Amino acid sequence: MRRHFFVVTIALLGVVGSAHAQSLQEGLRLYRDGNYEQAAYSFYDVLRADGDPQVRDESEIYLAESLRKMGLYVPALFYYTDVFKSGKRNRFYLNAAQGLLDIQAELHDHLIVPSLFSEYLDSQAFGKLEPAKVAQINFLLGELSVQKNKLSDAETFLKAVDGSSILYPKAQYFLGLVYSKRGQDDAALARFREAVKSIDPAHATAEQQEVLNLAHLALGRVLYGAGQFEASTQAFGKVARLSEPWFNALFDSAWAYFQMENYGAALGQIQSISSPYFSKRHIPEAYVLQGTTYFVNCQWDRVRASVLRYQELYGTMEQQLQAFLAKNQDPSVFYTVLTAETQREIPLELVREVRRTRHFADFHHMLSHLAWEESKVRDIAVWQGSDLKNDLALIMTAQGDQLKTAVGSWSKTRLAQLAAQLQNFSNQVNILDFEVADAERKWLEQGREIAMGQRARLPRPEIPTDQWQHWNFQKEFWKDEIGYYRHALRTECK
Amino acid sequence: MRFTHWGLGLLLTLSALPAVAADDKSERSVYSGDESAYVVQKRAYSKKGKFELTPMFFGSMNPKFVGFVGGGLSAAYHFRENLAIELVSSIPKGMYSYYSSTVEDLFSEEGLHPDEVSLKQMTYFGGLNLQLSALYGKFRFSFLGYNTLIDYDAYVTAGAGMAQTKETCVANSRGCSGLVGAGRGLRSPADFSDEWKVAGSLGGGMRFYFSKMFGLKLEVRDFVYADRKVGVGSTDTNTTTEIRNNIMFIFGFSVLI
């Protein structure tokens, strides 16, 4: 694509010559006046036709700037990239780097710009950028390295984000992930705690709040992995109610309570995550945990109820998903299916599970913005019928195709993971089903009763202090009570 | 709306407005009827260890002969979530008492008049009370698309205090005020014990909290004391007594600090 543009450009170089120098001045005047549509038109004209490379360089960077100011980030990205790739010999190299970083933030791009900086890394030149931009580059490269599982590189880049940067908490969080992936629990815990410490909840931005919650969640998970279940429940409990990671915190704490043999609390957390508030969540594992909890307490009828509900909700979901994955379709189809208003090919619960991820949301943001940009370019009157309009349309179409392929490939992988997980859960449920039948058989052989009648109501769990209140759960879900359910459970194994 | 008894954990659901019923189609939880499930929840608004200041307005609810309205202040300290000690006082000279229309009718049309003790007017009250918040609950408040959960508690209060009363007299005569109603004026009784008396207080109310600091209090309280009117002069030698129940409705703004 780019080659195509420059073939055109070079072909026109000798035709017009210095006559366009005046257009550059005109473009700069329009740019300063904020008339970016006309300015972009002039810069594009000079870029295509002027014989002086210096003038062309200046036109190109101003074209990119004009497009960025119009919100046309994808075409701007194209021209910034062109300047950036020409390296330090282009006097606008650092301007291009800065523009790329701005666009990265606007588009929530965690792939294109970071990959570009990774490929054309020039620490000496980047050092001349303002400290906030240097920190942004280090963070992006660190994040990209984590995604690529290059943990040493990631550690180096993320450590370079210093405490004065707004990205410092996030970098600490990612450093924690690096150490966690390496199995260095203590180091991971230290980084997650540092991430928490470096955020003032009262003055945190939305992104910092998210990092704070993720850091608490990660702390809980590392502590859980280290067998410190009590501490892990405390960390999970610090994840803000109603925040995006809260669901995971509730579910993970259910496992921690299970490990602590606090079965009433584990069942309470399961009740929370299966409440109507989380009705759009994918919760097959909840039934596995619930069935297992009842199983270890020898409550066979309740195990059967969990198994039955799992089979009702998820019995056919795996086959449906596997059938879709087996079609071997182009990756871009996955993005189309996942964002379709109505589709029947993938269960909606799984679609939501993929769409909910930050990765997908960021890609979707880029593609949605791109769609808006395409419509904007079509509507700009002064560009009607021009080569500029046609070229920008080509750039955006090509970029859109690439992005759809990228997000489609990622989504396909994610769906395959979900299919594998479902298969795993189905196996566990089948084992539970078998085990409960076996246990019932043994009880019958021992002359024990397996058909439980109505169980007597058990006393309420302990109330920590009088600053806590309690209610009987009477089959109504109140949003403010989610996370506070506790069951009273007595083992029936004896 | 739901509320529960503090000690017994009794839960009564009055209505299910804000909740989603467990048999809702979106319900995915496995919940058998004999499951012993509870909600153990930290209070949205805690009173323990806090002072509660309540500027308040009150008015009599049973003005058979004499009614009153006025302002006052209550200051309570909450030892526990469910137990508080409260000092309450009307604003001195901040009560307006009046004769009911019955009195006017009796005087003007029937040529009758009640016992004078019944016409004594309370001009001040104050006391020390113990509050027990036995019930708590919450409900959803919706107004023009605005929804919020409001926590409340119900309490009973009992204590003792002092009340100041004035007796009726012939308006503008010596020691008597100007006309206050029914052709009568008011004056302080000659005997200190006729003016100031020990009173008992018994009542109950509800607090509604909108935030960690602010709420509303609605209360009904009976301020009760034995009153008497000693006859003076040659023509009025009777001493009449009466147990006066001053049942008042109190509306206050509660501030927890």
Side-chain angles (χ1 to χ4, degrees):
Chain A
M1 161 80 69
R2 194 173 61 80
R3 186 172 296 159
H4 163 75
F5 289 125
F6 282 86
V7 169
V8 175
T9 304
I10 290 162
L12 289 170
L13 283 182
V15 180
V16 185
S18 62
H20 287 271
Q22 200 173 355
S23 289
L24 176 63
Q25 295 310 315
E26 177 66 8
L28 290 171
R29 187 188 64 75
L30 291 163
Y31 178 84
R32 281 192 293 270
D33 291 347
N35 188 348
Y36 301 120
E37 292 176 5
Q38 292 279 14
Y41 199 93
S42 293
F43 293 134
Y44 175 79
D45 201 29
V46 175
L47 175 65
R48 279 191 2 154
D50 202 290
D52 184 349
Q54 298 284 333
V55 173
R56 284 206 309 279
D57 287 349
E58 192 168 357
S59 297
E60 188 165 26
I61 194 73
Y62 273 104
L63 172 59
E65 291 283 324
S66 302
L67 293 169
R68 180 173 68 84
K69 286 181 183 290
M70 292 168 67
L72 300 176
Y73 297 135
V74 173
L77 181 69
F78 176 87
Y79 289 107
Y80 279 132
T81 302
D82 197 51
V83 175
F84 183 74
K85 280 184 174 176
S86 59
K88 280 185 282 190
R89 64 184 171 78
N90 188 317
R91 63 195 165 117
F92 299 105
Y93 172 62
L94 289 179
N95 301 74
Q98 194 134 336
L100 286 169
L101 291 170
D102 289 341
I103 285 179
Q104 181 278 327
E106 294 288 349
L107 286 180
H108 305 178
D109 162 42
H110 297 278
L111 181 66
I112 302 168
V113 174
S115 299
L116 201 58
F117 276 88
S118 176
E119 192 178 348
Y120 296 90
L121 183 65
D122 184 343
S123 354
Q124 205 179 358
F126 293 160
K128 292 176 187 166
L129 289 167
E130 58 184 280
K133 297 291 181 193
V134 175
Q136 188 181 353
I137 293 170
N138 280 319
F139 175 76
L140 290 173
L141 294 176
E143 187 187 30
L144 186 70
S145 302
V146 172
Q147 284 170 17
K148 292 181 173 176
N149 217 26
K150 294 179 177 173
L151 300 183
S152 292
D153 289 351
E155 185 181 7
T156 306
F157 287 123
L158 293 167
K159 275 184 171 173
V161 179
D162 67 29
S164 62
S165 167
I166 196 168
L167 290 166
Y168 177 72
K170 209 170 171 182
Q172 292 299 304
Y173 170 74
F174 272 87
L175 264 177
L177 293 182
V178 168
Y179 294 128
S180 179
K181 282 188 171 197
R182 284 182 182 159
Q184 297 170 272
D185 286 352
D186 289 342
L189 290 171
R191 291 307 100 211
F192 291 138
R193 286 185 179 125
E194 177 61 20
V196 169
K197 205 174 101 184
S198 59
I199 296 171
D200 174 8
H203 302 100
T205 62
E207 189 177 23
Q208 286 175 330
Q209 291 279 9
E210 188 186 1
V211 173
L212 184 64
N213 288 322
L214 288 171
H216 283 306
L217 181 66
L219 272 171
R221 285 176 168 173
V222 173
L223 288 165
Y224 180 93
Q228 298 179 45
F229 303 120
E230 175 85 45
S232 76
T233 59
Q234 288 166 10
F236 292 136
K238 288 178 183 166
V239 176
R241 291 177 62 77
L242 313 181
S243 66
E244 178 62 25
W246 185 46
F247 170 83
N248 294 96
L250 288 173
F251 185 63
D252 290 358
S253 64
W255 272 113
Y257 284 125
F258 177 83
Q259 298 287 1
M260 292 159 65
E261 299 183 5
N262 186 347
Y263 301 121
L267 290 171
Q269 299 300 67
I270 293 167
Q271 186 172 327
S272 290
I273 60 173
S274 55
S275 69
Y277 180 73
F278 290 120
S279 64
K280 292 173 179 162
R281 293 280 184 163
H282 184 54
I283 57 164
E285 197 178 357
Y287 301 102
V288 176
L289 177 56
Q290 190 179 43
T292 309
T293 305
Y294 286 132
F295 185 84
V296 297
N297 285 282
C298 304
Q299 300 191 358
W300 316 129
D301 54 329
R302 288 175 172 173
V303 179
R304 288 201 180 284
S306 300
V307 167
L308 186 65
R309 185 58 59 90
Y310 177 91
Q311 288 165 344
E312 283 168 1
L313 293 172
Y314 298 106
T316 59
M317 197 177 276
E318 185 205 335
Q319 289 84 343
Q320 197 180 346
L321 182 55
Q322 291 287 16
F324 179 76
L325 289 168
K327 286 182 184 170
N328 204 18
Q329 301 170 99
D330 185 84
S332 62
V333 172
F334 284 80
Y335 177 75
T336 309
V337 169
L338 287 168
T339 51
E341 288 290 324
T342 53
Q343 58 86 27
R344 297 280 182 275
E345 294 181 276
I346 307 175
L348 192 56
E349 188 175 308
L350 294 173
V351 169
R352 289 183 180 130
E353 190 66 9
V354 177
R355 288 202 300 218
R356 186 174 291 114
T357 58
R358 183 60 185 267
H359 210 70
F360 187 90
D362 284 340
F363 271 120
H364 185 57
H365 172 77
M366 287 174 78
L367 283 161
S368 302
H369 201 277
L370 180 59
W372 173 84
E373 291 179 35
E374 285 173 325
S375 115
K376 175 154 184 171
V377 167
R378 275 197 301 273
D379 294 343
I380 293 174
V382 293
W383 292 0
Q384 293 301 323
S386 70
D387 287 347
L388 172 63
K389 181 187 170 187
N390 296 334
D391 283 354
L392 296 189
L394 282 171
I395 290 169
M396 289 188 287
T397 303
Q399 190 66 72
D401 290 345
Q402 284 176 19
L403 281 171
K404 280 177 188 165
T405 302
V407 67
S409 299
W410 180 86
S411 303
K412 186 179 179 181
T413 307
R414 181 74 190 114
L415 285 168
Q417 287 171 350
L418 288 170
Q421 283 175 1
L422 272 171
Q423 185 167 24
N424 179 28
F425 296 139
S426 294
N427 290 342
Q428 291 185 49
V429 165
N430 289 337
I431 291 169
L432 268 178
D433 201 18
F434 171 79
E435 291 290 344
V436 82
D438 193 46
E440 283 178 334
R441 181 186 57 77
K442 284 178 182 164
W443 274 34
L444 287 171
E445 285 170 3
Q446 292 166 11
R448 298 175 68 176
E449 186 61 56
I450 59 166
M452 297 299 297
Q454 181 85 2
R455 291 175 176 87
R457 186 161 190 84
L458 297 174
R460 64 168 169 76
E462 191 182 342
I463 305 297
T465 68
D466 67 348
Q467 288 177 301
W468 290 67
Q469 58 195 6
H470 66 88
W471 326 90
N472 286 2
F473 175 73
Q474 292 195 322
K475 297 190 178 183
E476 330 178 319
F477 287 94
W478 292 55
K479 191 173 165 185
D480 68 307
E481 293 174 355
I482 294 168
Y484 294 117
Y485 297 115
R486 291 291 180 271
H487 286 223
L489 194 72
R490 186 175 290 160
T491 180
E492 293 171 6
C493 295
K494 291 174 185 173
Chain B
M1 180 187 286
R2 73 177 4 175
F3 66 88
T4 194
H5 188 275
W6 182 275
L8 300 177
L10 170 71
L11 170 76
L12 296 175
T13 302
L14 298 182
S15 72
L17 275 177
V20 180
D23 56 357
D24 188 280
K25 284 181 181 173
S26 59
E27 168 56 27
R28 300 188 294 175
S29 72
V30 178
Y31 184 80
S32 52
D34 62 354
E35 202 91 47
S36 300
Y38 297 86
V39 179
V40 180
Q41 185 179 18
K42 194 160 191 182
R43 289 168 179 275
Y45 310 116
S46 174
K47 306 190 294 293
K48 186 178 182 178
K50 290 182 179 171
F51 285 96
E52 181 187 14
L53 290 178
T54 310
M56 61 192 200
F57 304 95
F58 55 83
S60 58
M61 293 178 71
N62 61 336
K64 183 179 170 189
F65 297 129
V66 180
F68 53 85
V69 293
L73 185 71
S74 153
Y77 178 72
H78 293 268
F79 297 104
R80 297 170 52 90
E81 286 298 333
N82 60 347
L83 192 65
I85 188 163
E86 179 205 31
L87 198 61
V88 64
S89 172
S90 66
I91 298 170
K93 300 187 187 300
M95 275 179 76
Y96 168 73
S97 296
Y98 57 89
Y99 293 122
S100 68
S101 57
T102 310
V103 175
E104 302 284 352
D105 293 345
L106 285 172
F107 272 103
S108 60
E109 294 175 19
E110 307 285 338
L112 302 170
H113 61 87
D115 289 342
E116 291 208 358
V117 68
S118 300
L119 298 178
K120 287 183 77 172
Q121 294 187 350
M122 183 168 71
T123 53
Y124 172 83
F125 67 87
L128 192 66
N129 302 290
L130 207 60
Q131 273 186 14
L132 180 69
S133 312
L135 292 159
Y136 57 83
K138 64 186 174 187
F139 62 89
R140 187 175 67 168
F141 177 74
S142 301
F143 183 68
L144 296 175
Y146 172 75
N147 288 297
T148 186
L149 275 181
I150 293 181
D151 282 64
Y152 66 86
D153 66 27
Y155 59 87
V156 291
T157 176
M162 298 290 289
Q164 183 188 31
T165 56
K166 293 198 171 179
E167 62 186 14
T168 60
C169 52
V170 178
N172 297 316
S173 63
R174 196 173 62 177
C176 190
S177 70
L179 191 66
V180 295
R184 316 283 289 184
L186 288 173
R187 70 181 175 204
S188 295
D191 191 310
F192 179 82
S193 66
D194 285 348
E195 182 178 6
W196 289 94
K197 57 257 318 169
V198 175
S201 163
L202 188 67
M206 294 181 83
R207 289 186 192 83
F208 301 89
Y209 285 105
F210 309 113
S211 73
K212 287 188 187 300
M213 272 190 79
F214 301 106
L216 285 179
K217 260 171 86 169
L218 302 176
E219 185 180 307
V220 174
R221 186 181 297 221
D222 185 9
F223 213 75
V224 57
Y225 50 83
D227 209 350
R228 66 175 186 162
K229 169 72 176 68
V230 178
V232 290
S234 56
T235 57
D236 183 9
T237 56
N238 291 331
T239 296
T240 50
T241 60
E242 187 179 73
I243 300 295
R244 291 290 296 273
N245 284 282
N246 294 285
I247 300 174
M248 61 183 86
F249 179 79
I250 299 173
F251 172 83
F253 296 98
S254 171
V255 183
L256 280 173
I257 47 178

